[in-house]
Amino acid sequence: MSANMSANGELLFSDESSGISLVVEDGVAIVTYDAPDAAVNTVNTRVAPVFARCFDEVETNPAITAMVVCSAKPDSWIAGADIDELAQVTTAADGEALSRGGQQLLDRLAALRKPTIAAMHGATLGGGLEVALACQYRIATDHAKTVLALPEVQLGLIPGAGGTQRLPRLIGLQAALEMILTGKNIRAKKALQLGLIHEMVHPAILRAIAVQRAQQLGRGEAPVLRKRSHGATQMLLEDNALGRRVIFRQARVGVLKKTKGKYPAPFAAIDAVQCGYSDGIEAGLREEAARFGALAVSPECRQLVSIFFATTALKKDSGLPDGVTAVPRAVRKIGILGAGFMGAGIATVAVQAGSLVRLKDASLERIGTGWRAVRDVLRERVKRRQLTRAQMDDLLSQVGGTVDYSGFGNAELVIEAVFEDLAVKQQVLREVEAAAPDAIFASNTSTIPIREIAKAAARPERVIGMHFFSPVHKMPLLEVIVAPDTSAETTATVVQYGRQLGKTVIVVRDGPGFYVNRILAPYINQAGRLLDEGVAIDAIDAALTDFGFPVGPITLLDEVGLDIAGKSGPIMAAAFGARMQPSAALAQVIASGRLGRKVKRGFYRYDEQGKRQGIDEAVYALTTAGSARQSMTATAI
């Protein structure tokens, strides 16, 4: 620790190992967290004693009237607990002790007799949000990177530093359960509406406003702490024991429906919240800690944490072999060949990532259909208040259309999303090389080897695969397929751009089916053979969703598009023989013109809005077994 004077006030101490400092300005203690050698701040046992020292100083120093907690990181406040530390927990008792330590630290913060203000800019997640909940006043910036969440369930855990107890008491039971059980981010505007924060300000004035509010609160003056409004629903349900039992029962039913009982964390969270309501906050905290400890060593948590580490490592991977380096090119404008379902989906994510997009198709009618598909996704975001109408209009202005290659000349990247036919893809490759000689050519093929497409290229080093998944705006994975002649610069550029689109990027070697479809093909083929043998569509889908898949294989076919599966099936069979031979049922259904949700006709029926209406019984007549369907248990399937 060291003490001296700073340019803005008196520096009482600065701890270099934790990155925590305390400066006093006009009677306000400003605690700043800037974890050394780390992109984000996290909560861990190493920083807990330093924060405790800050709290003691604030409590005992008569010159301090209030405290502001802020971050020196550009895009985050406190982004959660230290996952590396969590991975070291080996027993439930150790996990429970870790939780109790966090609870005690934040109990100390909440019990300070001087006002405390959380000044939040950027990601405020997990343990970070729990720190903010323990403060008396919360201010957040109106910036896109400022999001608040309790995402612990996504790691197989529950909030462990009092979040299951403080959040419901602050924003209400139903809203709190929604946040805790889904782990979803909410933006500052929504947090303000919920009463989770008291003010929303521009980032440039966050610190000044926080200090001003601290001074006002320290003098016992305005602002008055914001109180959550009590609506009719809350009065009928949340403010009485009988109503709360209804809410908890509905929450359990919803979790069971969504998780099929495969994940224990959401149920543990409900139990901890309910315990706090029935037996008091101290009992609730004990329940929270005990459940946290048990979950921390559960196999579900271990596997989800492993996925977290793998995903984090992917974000740092350039996609190049060890020892190979390349500087990626900036991608500001892209061309997309094909304004159909996939092309429009790629355009949707590209414009939201800041790219200019030029859509090409054979007719203006098709371009119009693609443009409307982009608009519909953005409209949904406006409806959900994730975008304003003005922002939607600005994004749509970034999408242009053409029936020739005008506007492609200055594109850094061109993505083809045309028919899954080698000759067609080779033809558009030749056309793109003539129209956009400096562009990288990326094929959205799902199965055709990139090296085969690149045989038509004058510049094969700029040919690569970018395999998106449907629907593009929802599916996070992107396969980048590297052919033997693909250059390191091309690979690095496409990997970086994929991350710019918000995708989880995996780089794979070239070959039929690449990675995902080589695994998926046997799975889909077996589902088709079950249809051939007379098993009902809903029985097949239910068996796999009960097992733990988010959707069943028949639903997946309808979502992806049966034409895509129909094109890829023969390619996989040609490469791998009879073991990859597609089912007769699938071929017959495709031949009937059923292509899935995108044409509102597949294995399932759809209304005009594309909402599924149930099984199309007429499909059974197209299969070997005919209309008769045998019953078969999930175990047998």
Side-chain angles (χ1 to χ4, degrees):
M1 302 287 184
S2 64
N4 51 43
M5 294 295 290
S6 76
N8 297 317
E10 182 183 2
L11 176 63
L12 292 190
F13 68 82
S14 177
D15 181 68
E16 293 181 0
S17 64
S18 67
I20 296 173
S21 62
L22 190 156
V23 173
V24 178
E25 275 185 36
D26 300 323
V28 175
I30 301 174
V31 176
T32 303
Y33 187 13
D34 187 8
D37 303 319
V40 298
N41 297 322
T42 58
V43 180
N44 54 62
T45 55
R46 299 183 300 279
V47 301
V50 186
F51 273 119
R53 162 79 184 273
C54 292
F55 302 159
D56 290 340
E57 184 69 36
V58 170
E59 187 74 83
T60 59
N61 191 328
I64 296 174
T65 61
M67 179 179 72
V68 172
V69 182
C70 58
S71 166
K73 300 296 183 186
D75 297 324
S76 69
W77 194 63
I78 301 176
D82 186 339
I83 306 300
D84 287 312
E85 189 169 77
L86 174 65
Q88 302 306 312
V89 173
T90 57
T91 68
D94 289 341
E96 183 174 359
L98 186 66
S99 174
R100 288 298 290 170
Q103 291 175 352
Q104 290 164 5
L105 177 68
L106 298 191
D107 283 348
R108 176 79 178 94
L109 172 59
L112 286 176
R113 290 173 292 177
K114 297 176 183 178
T116 53
I117 294 88
M120 299 170 284
H121 171 67
T124 302
L125 309 174
L129 182 54
E130 289 178 297
V131 172
L133 290 173
C135 293
Q136 295 176 23
Y137 200 84
R138 288 163 294 280
I139 308 172
T141 63
D142 58 351
H143 193 278
K145 291 185 177 179
T146 297
V147 292
L148 300 87
L150 291 175
E152 287 84 355
V153 291
Q154 297 172 4
L155 291 176
L157 290 168
I158 65 173
T164 65
Q165 306 305 305
R166 289 193 174 93
L167 186 64
R169 287 164 174 79
L170 181 64
I171 67 172
L173 179 57
Q174 290 172 295
L177 285 174
E178 172 72 13
M179 287 188 67
I180 293 170
L181 298 180
T182 66
K184 292 181 179 178
N185 293 344
I186 64 169
R187 297 188 182 277
K189 184 177 180 181
K190 178 67 173 178
L192 185 66
Q193 294 168 345
L194 290 173
L196 179 52
I197 63 173
H198 300 91
E199 285 187 79
M200 183 173 65
V201 302
H202 190 277
I205 61 172
L206 174 63
R207 191 177 189 275
I209 293 295
V211 171
Q212 182 182 345
R213 295 294 179 261
Q215 292 171 333
Q216 290 174 315
L217 291 168
R219 294 192 298 265
E221 300 174 359
V224 177
L225 298 182
R226 181 187 178 97
K227 293 185 178 180
R228 193 169 42 88
S229 62
H230 289 252
T233 300
Q234 182 191 344
M235 292 178 64
L236 290 172
L237 292 176
E238 297 193 14
D239 291 347
N240 66 88
L242 180 60
R244 289 194 292 270
R245 282 199 294 272
V246 171
I247 294 173
F248 285 122
R249 183 170 62 250
Q250 290 175 336
R252 287 191 171 85
V253 169
V255 167
L256 185 61
K257 181 179 179 181
K258 184 176 181 180
T259 69
K260 310 297 183 183
K262 305 296 182 183
Y263 297 93
F267 295 104
I270 295 171
D271 289 341
V273 175
Q274 189 166 16
C275 178
Y277 271 92
S278 61
D279 300 331
I281 189 169
E282 288 303 322
L285 289 170
R286 289 193 296 272
E287 182 74 6
E288 176 186 272
R291 294 304 186 100
F292 181 93
L295 290 169
V297 293
S298 68
E300 293 84 1
C301 177
R302 293 303 192 199
Q303 293 301 321
L304 290 169
V305 168
S306 177
I307 292 172
F308 171 84
F309 282 130
T311 304
T312 301
L314 273 177
K315 293 176 181 178
K316 301 174 183 178
D317 186 2
S318 67
L320 300 175
D322 291 343
V324 177
T325 60
V327 178
R329 297 164 59 187
V331 176
R332 302 176 184 87
K333 180 178 180 179
I334 69 170
I336 298 176
L337 304 178
F341 191 67
M342 289 301 295
I346 296 167
T348 300
V349 297
V351 294
Q352 293 181 85
S355 300
L356 291 174
V357 175
R358 191 73 166 163
L359 270 175
K360 179 188 179 300
D361 213 311
S363 69
L364 292 175
E365 181 181 3
R366 290 182 180 179
I367 292 168
T369 300
W371 185 89
R372 286 190 293 274
V374 176
R375 179 200 61 190
D376 289 346
V377 172
L378 298 180
R379 273 183 174 175
E380 183 63 26
R381 292 201 65 196
V382 172
K383 182 179 178 181
R384 295 175 180 270
R385 298 184 178 181
Q386 297 170 343
L387 290 175
T388 65
R389 181 56 189 264
Q391 288 172 325
M392 182 188 80
D393 292 342
D394 287 344
L395 291 175
L396 286 173
S397 70
Q398 296 172 210
V399 184
T402 179
V403 293
D404 53 27
Y405 284 95
S406 60
F408 272 66
N410 60 345
E412 292 88 9
L413 171 67
V414 175
I415 303 171
E416 66 84 0
V418 300
F419 296 116
E420 195 74 349
D421 182 278
L422 176 59
V424 174
K425 292 181 184 294
Q426 288 181 332
Q427 177 60 32
V428 297
L429 168 56
R430 295 186 191 98
E431 294 170 357
V432 167
E433 286 193 321
D438 294 327
I440 291 171
F441 180 89
S443 174
N444 183 51
T445 179
S446 56
T447 52
I448 300 174
I450 302 302
R451 72 185 72 194
E452 294 299 319
I453 298 173
K455 285 180 179 179
R459 294 176 290 276
E461 70 278 3
R462 293 185 185 172
V463 180
I464 197 168
M466 288 183 77
H467 182 205
F468 293 85
F469 296 85
S470 178
V472 180
H473 66 285
K474 292 183 178 180
M475 301 299 285
L477 187 64
L478 171 64
E479 274 187 307
V480 171
I481 305 101
V482 179
D485 292 329
T486 304
S487 70
E489 180 189 66
T490 296
T491 302
T493 299
V494 168
V495 168
Q496 178 175 274
Y497 185 66
R499 293 197 183 117
Q500 183 180 325
L501 297 179
K503 298 300 182 182
T504 299
V505 182
I506 60 171
V507 178
V508 300
R509 292 181 180 178
D510 191 22
F514 315 128
Y515 178 80
V516 172
N517 277 326
R518 192 176 296 194
I519 294 171
L520 189 63
Y523 171 70
I524 294 298
N525 290 346
Q526 288 302 318
R529 292 192 178 97
L530 286 168
L531 281 176
D532 288 339
E533 293 169 7
V535 182
I537 291 170
D538 52 351
I540 297 170
D541 272 351
L544 274 299
T545 54
D546 287 344
F547 180 74
F549 283 81
V551 298
I554 310 300
T555 295
L556 181 63
L557 280 169
D558 264 15
E559 292 292 338
V560 171
L562 276 71
D563 53 335
I564 302 298
K567 289 285 187 179
S568 63
I571 294 171
M572 299 299 291
F576 298 105
R579 64 193 178 99
M580 289 287 196
Q581 190 65 40
S583 74
L586 180 58
Q588 291 296 323
V589 174
I590 294 170
S592 74
R594 298 168 185 272
L595 303 183
R597 184 191 291 273
K598 62 185 174 184
V599 297
K600 303 179 178 64
R601 191 163 176 258
F603 288 98
Y604 289 91
R605 295 179 289 106
Y606 301 89
D607 63 18
E608 287 303 312
Q609 287 70 46
K611 185 176 181 181
R612 196 166 78 179
Q613 299 298 303
I615 296 169
D616 190 339
E617 300 283 343
V619 170
Y620 292 139
L622 303 172
T623 67
T624 305
S627 299
R629 294 289 114 179
Q630 61 176 289
S631 61
M632 185 176 287
T633 65
T635 302
I637 292 173

